Amino acid sequence: MEIITTVAGLRQRLAKENAIAFVPTMGNLHAGHLQLVEAARQHGQCVVVSIFVNPLQFGANEDLASYPRTLDADCEKLQAAGVDVVFAPGETEMYPTEQTITVNPPPIANELCGAARPGHFAGVATVVLKLFNMVQPQVAVFGKKDFQQLFIIRELVKQLNLPIEIIGVATRRDDDGLAMSSRNGYLSAAQRLEAPRLQRALQLVVEAARKGEQDFTAIEAQTAQYLTQLGWIVDYISIRSALTLLSAEKTERQLVVLAAAKLGKTRLIDNLEFSLD
Ligand code: PAF
């Protein structure tokens, strides 16, 4: 496995590869990321993983400074997972000059997580487009835990005609159901015990919808109230079309319920896709 920190070095290493499967990450890798790597191995000959904590996607009051940076441990895991190239650029390599050209993501980027994190998805889409241009993969792999991010990246690829196949991989969970996330490490022991309730609350939403409750706004409000009573600070619980991410019409059958809520200062997100058929 090669660890490369410059765009020039990356281009040189990848020049003769024509089946590159790419996994963009911000590091602090866990089993969920390794599942993305495994999917990449199945879709390409040369697996490239990037590790870059992207300042452009963090708001002023977010955890950019404290975001865990664990490059050595990450590289050990990636080596064991059979990765060919790790691309770990520094900030000046990624942004040698002020990034005055950015991607303007679709309007859905201002809803759900984007409502509480203005500019977040513009930062994500911009860095992902830059990484795509640097790596020039045939396939790129993203986790479904970041469902809205995956949706926006699919739109980016579709609307900008990028010749890249996007693969979405199911969320990896701990045994108690908590979606794996680098931010789970911020939770206290008591919060960690409480955290799987977010997933269980989403299951209750799905059960209510499947039982025939048609007032999705009422289900969302009841679920938010349930979590709030247990000490969560709920950002949103929202039932959406799994295909468009727009508010679910009564006729829609392929749905997803998405949630973001804080335990203390730690913001967790999760989602559950379901069908009413
Ligand atoms: O999902 C992430 O880890 C990040 O948003 C990504 C896609 C690597 C862009 O910085």
Side-chain angles (χ1 to χ4, degrees):
M1 185 179 84
E2 281 174 62
I3 302 169
I4 297 175
T5 56
T6 64
V7 179
L10 184 74
R11 286 198 198 288
Q12 199 177 18
R13 166 63 184 81
L14 299 180
K16 293 199 173 67
E17 301 288 351
N18 54 18
I20 299 172
F22 176 44
V23 184
T25 82
M26 297 206 300
N28 195 234
L29 304 180
H30 49 67
H33 293 109
L34 298 180
Q35 196 161 277
L36 305 185
V37 169
E38 188 45 44
R41 276 160 54 93
Q42 285 164 20
H43 284 89
Q45 296 294 317
C46 174
V47 175
V48 179
V49 176
S50 66
I51 297 180
F52 179 66
V53 181
N54 173 34
L56 226 57
Q57 69 189 75
F58 285 77
N61 300 317
E62 294 184 355
D63 56 346
L64 173 62
S66 59
Y67 198 87
R69 289 157 171 90
T70 53
L71 184 62
D72 291 347
D74 291 344
C75 287
E76 273 176 34
K77 289 177 190 166
L78 294 175
Q79 169 111 48
V83 166
D84 298 284
V85 174
V86 173
F87 178 49
E91 207 175 309
T92 48
E93 185 68 13
M94 185 59 79
Y95 298 116
T97 57
E98 189 189 346
Q99 188 71 32
T100 52
I101 296 179
T102 55
V103 175
N104 188 14
I108 195 71
N110 300 320
E111 299 182 28
L112 303 167
C113 280
R117 306 186 69 189
H120 170 69
F121 288 113
V124 170
T126 301
V127 82
V128 168
L129 181 58
K130 282 171 75 86
L131 286 164
F132 282 173
N133 286 332
M134 291 168 182
V135 177
Q136 300 194 8
Q138 279 65 46
V139 171
V141 184
F142 293 84
K144 285 191 175 184
K145 184 177 83 73
D146 297 296
F147 198 90
Q148 188 179 9
Q149 168 173 284
L150 175 60
F151 179 86
I152 288 167
I153 287 163
R154 285 193 195 282
E155 286 299 306
L156 174 84
V157 165
K158 193 166 68 186
Q159 294 191 26
L160 296 183
N161 303 88
L162 304 180
I164 302 173
E165 183 190 355
I166 301 297
I167 311 273
V169 173
T171 302
R172 178 92 190 240
R173 300 182 180 279
D174 283 335
D175 289 345
D176 58 8
L178 177 64
M180 286 191 185
S181 163
S182 300
R183 291 193 168 99
N184 292 352
Y186 297 152
L187 297 168
S188 69
Q191 289 168 341
R192 176 64 192 78
L193 278 177
E194 174 62 21
R197 199 185 302 275
L198 187 59
Q199 157 74 358
R200 293 203 288 275
L202 295 185
Q203 284 166 356
L204 294 176
V205 170
V206 173
E207 276 168 33
R210 283 205 172 128
K211 271 187 197 146
E213 175 56 81
Q214 294 200 353
D215 187 349
F216 289 165
T217 310
I219 305 179
E220 292 161 0
Q222 280 157 15
T223 311
Q225 191 185 15
Y226 163 69
L227 288 171
T228 304
Q229 278 165 357
L230 291 160
W232 292 74
I233 301 159
V234 177
D235 183 355
Y236 65 82
I237 309 267
S238 191
I239 302 171
R240 300 277 173 132
S241 156
L243 305 178
T244 64
L245 267 195
L246 298 175
S247 287
E249 301 294 332
K250 292 200 171 54
T251 51
E252 301 245 17
R253 311 311 284 168
Q254 300 303 318
L255 301 172
V256 56
V257 52
L258 307 104
K262 276 187 182 169
L263 272 179
K265 287 189 175 148
T266 306
R267 187 172 187 276
L268 300 178
I269 61 171
D270 204 347
N271 65 79
L272 214 49
E273 282 175 272
F274 65 104
S275 152
L276 288 182
D277 291 327

